[in-house]
Amino acid sequence: MKKILIPIVLILVLVMSACGSKSTEKSSGEESKDNKETITYQSENGPVKVPAHPKRVVVLTSYVGDLLSLDVNIVGVEEWAKKSPLFKDQLKNVPVVSDEDIEEIIDLNPDLIIGDSTNKNLKKLQKIAPTVTYTYGKVDYLTQHLEIGKLVSKEQEAKSWIEDFKSRAKAAGEEIKAKIGEDATVTVVESYNKEMAVLGDNWGRGTEVLYQAMGLNMPGKVKETTSKEGYHTISSEVLPEYVGDYLILSKYRDQENSYQNTELYKEMPAVKNHHVFEVDGNAFMFNDSMTLDYQLDFFKDHFLK
């Protein structure tokens, strides 16, 4: 009886093993198909065939936070994104590359490259992997996030975030205006490389949140001088002419900020009234979804404290 049972057990093991093998082959095949599946993305330069679910993305422009928030794997970034403390953990082991580092980008084996329309060597990049470029400011900041979502087949996730962000920002804006006054004005200033500039409503540094999403007011002179370029370079001597009731200072630790020690600066009403909020320039630089969420929380905390 025992001799008969042994072959039967062996047969059962072989059958189960074969079934498992078929299951594994199917799973492997499905994964391979998923990796090879493509979509046609309608870029600003025309249709581009890209992976439906990119696995290794090189980002040579400022939309790193949009991709990270959509859980897209990034294998190479431009240097400014690497400086943002908001991306520090997720980009810890991601190398810095530029549009001139062709060999380094090849070694990263990307299946998608996202760049800026001003990048050099675009033809060389296109030979490495499907390459999509964007022109900064060509569409508004929320539409830009939606475009990133479309590119990586996560349009619905992008739409959901946009609606949620708009709702939260509108509510925060109404609460802030109720506290500081409907007519109160806010100025955003940044100094870098010995130059100072006031910023318009679409130049990062929290400007999209303040002026567009929350509906706070920009001083008339700032609005007038930034309407074309998005920013306006000034000298510290004329800063009081541009500063409203509140001042947002985008600062960098390695930059010259001695103007804050002058009597001219100290005598401005916004300074005397303690209406100056200093922000980390590296954390506030961009207008991607992760940075926008951070900026919104910062403004809520500081205006409403």
Side-chain angles (χ1 to χ4, degrees), residues 234-298:
I234 62 172
S235 66
S236 58
E237 288 77 17
V238 299
L239 180 61
E241 299 175 21
Y242 294 84
V243 174
D245 300 301
Y246 287 80
L247 173 61
I248 312 298
L249 281 181
S250 176
K251 294 181 65 176
Y252 300 86
R253 292 179 182 178
D254 59 348
Q255 295 296 309
E256 171 63 50
N257 295 296
S258 60
Y259 68 89
Q260 288 185 274
N261 299 322
T262 65
E263 287 302 314
L264 185 69
Y265 175 83
K266 293 177 181 178
E267 289 301 312
M268 291 193 302
V271 177
K272 295 177 75 171
N273 293 329
H274 305 289
H275 288 173
V276 179
F277 305 148
E278 296 187 0
V279 304
D280 179 347
N282 287 317
F284 257 64
M285 178 173 292
F286 304 118
N287 58 9
D288 60 82
S289 55
M290 281 184 67
T291 304
L292 290 165
D293 278 335
Y294 176 78
Q295 293 166 347
L296 177 57
D297 289 340
F298 178 95

Side-chain angles (χ1 to χ4, degrees), residues 198-200 218 222-232:
V198 289
L199 307 178
M218 186 188 301
V222 175
K223 188 173 184 179
E224 178 186 348
T225 56
T226 62
S227 61
K228 290 184 179 180
E229 298 293 331
Y231 67 94
H232 178 62

Side-chain angles (χ1 to χ4, degrees), residues 15 28 56 59 71 83 112 120 135 194 212 229 277:
V15 170
S28 176
R56 300 181 60 81
V59 189
D71 199 28
K83 293 180 180 180
L112 176 64
K120 303 173 183 177
T135 300
K194 297 182 180 180
Q212 295 191 50
E229 298 293 331
F277 305 148

Side-chain angles (χ1 to χ4, degrees), residues 67 69 73 98 110 124 144 179 189 218 225 240:
L67 291 155
S69 69
N73 184 49
S98 77
K124 291 182 180 179
Q144 183 63 65
K179 179 181 179 182
V189 171
M218 186 188 301
T225 56

Side-chain angles (χ1 to χ4, degrees), residues 80-93:
W80 283 104
K82 193 77 170 183
K83 293 180 180 180
S84 173
L86 306 185
F87 311 149
K88 184 178 179 180
D89 292 339
Q90 289 163 290
L91 298 182
K92 183 178 180 181
N93 299 314

Side-chain angles (χ1 to χ4, degrees), residues 153-252:
S153 299
K154 295 197 174 186
E155 181 177 359
Q156 191 53 54
E157 291 93 325
K159 283 182 177 179
S160 296
W161 177 84
I162 290 170
E163 291 307 313
D164 180 59
F165 175 79
K166 288 167 64 176
S167 176
R168 287 182 287 119
K170 182 181 179 182
E174 290 173 353
E175 192 174 358
I176 290 169
K177 284 185 283 187
K179 179 181 179 182
I180 70 175
E182 288 284 339
D183 298 325
T185 56
V186 183
T187 301
V188 181
V189 171
E190 179 172 280
S191 58
Y192 192 83
N193 280 346
K194 297 182 180 180
E195 288 192 345
M196 177 178 288
V198 289
L199 307 178
D201 67 357
N202 65 340
W203 209 252
R205 288 77 170 175
T207 57
E208 291 85 0
V209 178
L210 289 167
Y211 304 127
Q212 295 191 50
M214 295 199 301
L216 301 187
N217 300 307
M218 186 188 301
K221 191 161 186 175
V222 175
K223 188 173 184 179
E224 178 186 348
T225 56
T226 62
S227 61
K228 290 184 179 180
E229 298 293 331
Y231 67 94
H232 178 62
T233 303
I234 62 172
S235 66
S236 58
E237 288 77 17
V238 299
L239 180 61
E241 299 175 21
Y242 294 84
V243 174
D245 300 301
Y246 287 80
L247 173 61
I248 312 298
L249 281 181
S250 176
K251 294 181 65 176
Y252 300 86

